[in-house]
Amino acid sequence: MIYLDYQATTPVAPEVADAMRPWVEDRFANPHSPSRWGREADAAIGVARKQVEKTLGLKGGSLAFTGSATEAINWALKGTVEKAAGSDRRRVITVATEHAAVLDTCDWLADHGAEVVVLPVERDGRVDLELLDRALDNRTLLVAVMMVNNEIGVLQPIPEIAKMAKAAGALMFCDAVQAFGRMEIPRGPDLVAISAHKIHGPKGIGALWMRKGAEPAPLIHGGGQEMGLRSGTLSPALCVGFGAAAKLAEERCNRDYDHVRKLWGAASQALGLGWTVNGSAVHRYCGNLNIRREGVDAARLIADLRDIAFSLGSACASGSGRPSHVLKALGLDYREARCSIRLGFGRYTTQKELVEACKRLAAAAYEQETLDA
Ligand code: PLP
């Protein structure tokens, strides 16, 4: 199997599995209990939290663990609107290419009294800052824009957006799931969501970083864990795994980045002519290659090449059979979206396997064309 679905999830790093093992096998104490074992588990969580914060590199705030980035996103958006209840600021501005966790939460908010503005993107997938400027006013509470898009890898101008939000007196939320651990997260956003399983950590744990004073109202009530903001017993194993993955990502950030840049070049060459990159080829994370080829049936390619794991877009969109909302937002029609595939590669992808997969993809696409001609 050649694994080219790094945006859906990444393989767990061996160092992460080793760090987690004792907390899975026998160190089972509740980290919130006062026993010595409990205090040891709590201390391990503290070390992991510090490491995740260090890799994130943001100052003047705190980080709460959550069950996923999806939860962190729901909390950031719903909790911010809830906290502002009664004020004039009810407008939430977001972008058409955001992850479903943001867009579906915004739909929910719109059904519950918020005024939601969804901005279109330009043909290259980037936000039009002039449109954002026009949408921002003194009723704007929150601007939610992701850093790196999970389907097309396009990078948004986060520092500029954060500056504009701040000037309008609004908060900024950034979904940094696909950027964290792979590149520097710029200062500016007030709330930032991240996830462990995109950086070779375990599934089932994410986090929300909150600037001091911008903490959203709690979404989950109970035992008062995580500074009274997110109740629920933390899993020491998952927290330790997240910390270990963050540490590795920090240590290997430049090396991993150089590796994916080389892979991008090798993949583009091996695919040959006839493919078009969806979204900006410049403002992007190079571990994501979303491409289309006239006349190809992408779903058939996936069925024909079962030993290569790649996808049509987000893992969620792939299952639904619906055309990707991201490709649609770029202005691609149904036919163009149907002939698009996403290849995602990273730390453990070798150039040899990627080149082999790309050559086989190109051959299968060519075969489709000749059979259908
Ligand atoms: N945001 C982006 C950009 C993602 O790629 C994902 C994962 O697919 C999420 C949010 C949700 O993350 P999680 O799987 O931790 O809920």
Side-chain angles (χ1 to χ4, degrees):
M1 189 79 172
I2 301 178
Y3 185 74
L4 298 179
D5 207 9
Y6 266 62
Q7 277 72 47
T9 196
T10 53
V12 173
E15 295 90 335
V16 169
D18 287 347
M20 290 177 69
R21 199 160 289 116
W23 301 98
V24 175
E25 286 175 357
D26 42 35
R27 305 185 78 173
F28 59 85
N30 186 322
H32 313 296
S33 90
S35 71
R36 202 187 85 205
W37 286 2
R39 289 202 314 273
E40 281 171 8
D42 184 48
I45 289 173
V47 171
R49 190 190 310 276
K50 282 218 163 63
Q51 182 58 60
V52 177
E53 285 173 340
K54 184 162 176 271
T55 305
L56 192 59
L58 300 173
K59 299 275 179 289
S62 53
L63 181 126
F65 287 119
T66 58
S68 61
T70 298
E71 184 196 322
I73 291 166
N74 272 260
W75 178 20
L77 302 185
K78 289 184 182 174
T80 299
V81 171
E82 163 81 16
K83 194 174 164 187
S87 88
D88 289 341
R89 289 192 184 260
R90 298 292 290 166
R91 176 177 284 190
V92 178
I93 301 175
T94 190
V95 177
T97 49
E98 291 293 303
H99 190 272
V102 168
L103 292 177
D104 287 7
T105 304
C106 283
D107 279 350
W108 187 93
L109 287 171
D111 287 344
H112 290 79
E115 185 205 345
V116 174
V117 177
V118 182
L119 297 176
V121 289
E122 305 207 64
R123 183 85 190 175
D124 68 354
R126 303 250 293 172
V127 178
D128 180 338
L129 294 179
E130 256 178 56
L131 281 185
L132 173 62
D133 190 45
R134 266 183 259 151
L136 279 164
D137 65 6
N138 60 7
R139 288 167 303 149
T140 308
L141 172 66
L142 187 64
V143 178
V145 183
M146 76 201 320
M147 189 163 161
V148 171
N149 186 278
N150 51 307
E151 289 196 38
I152 53 174
V154 168
L155 196 56
Q156 297 293 359
I158 298 302
E160 288 85 347
I161 294 169
K163 223 178 272 170
M164 289 167 72
K166 192 170 180 193
L171 295 171
M172 182 185 173
F173 164 75
C174 180
D175 169 352
V177 166
Q178 296 285 344
F180 174 61
R182 296 175 179 164
M183 58 183 74
E184 197 177 323
I185 307 295
R187 296 197 179 157
D190 302 282
L191 298 158
V192 178
I194 55 177
S195 183
H197 73 102
K198 310 290 181 173
I199 61 159
H200 307 283
K203 291 167 189 58
I205 181 161
L208 183 66
W209 182 86
M210 304 161 279
R211 184 178 304 292
K212 194 168 174 13
E215 297 87 352
L219 208 63
I220 298 180
H221 306 274
Q225 290 90 346
E226 296 300 81
M227 302 158 281
L229 293 171
R230 194 275 186 181
S231 291
T233 304
L234 287 175
S235 157
L238 294 178
C239 295
V240 165
F242 199 174
K247 184 164 186 282
L248 261 182
E250 189 192 13
E251 288 164 0
R252 300 189 44 131
C253 190
N254 292 339
R255 212 175 352 145
D256 284 351
Y257 200 77
D258 288 345
H259 182 57
V260 294
R261 281 176 73 96
K262 271 197 205 117
L263 292 178
W264 163 279
S268 309
Q269 207 177 356
L271 283 163
L273 298 174
W275 300 87
T276 306
V277 175
N278 290 324
S280 171
V282 182
H283 302 286
R284 66 160 36 261
Y285 169 65
C286 291
N288 175 318
L289 185 55
N290 192 315
I291 43 177
R292 66 179 189 276
R293 185 181 174 107
E294 178 81 26
V296 159
D297 180 342
R300 235 169 87 195
L301 272 188
I302 290 187
D304 289 347
L305 299 166
R306 287 202 176 274
D307 57 339
I308 305 176
F310 63 103
S311 69
L312 300 178
S314 75
C316 336
S318 287
S320 70
R322 273 182 286 149
S324 146
H325 70 281
V326 174
L327 298 182
K328 212 166 134 195
L330 295 187
L332 269 62
D333 60 26
Y334 179 68
R335 200 178 43 82
E336 290 170 311
R338 255 176 49 113
C339 56
S340 295
I341 56 169
R342 181 185 70 180
L343 308 179
F345 35 85
R347 186 183 297 167
Y348 302 113
T349 313
T350 65
Q351 184 158 325
K352 186 166 172 280
E353 64 180 345
L354 181 60
V355 166
E356 182 197 322
C358 289
K359 285 189 172 158
R360 286 180 54 205
L361 267 162
Y366 180 73
E367 201 177 298
Q368 270 193 18
E369 282 163 17
T370 43
L371 278 179
D372 294 348

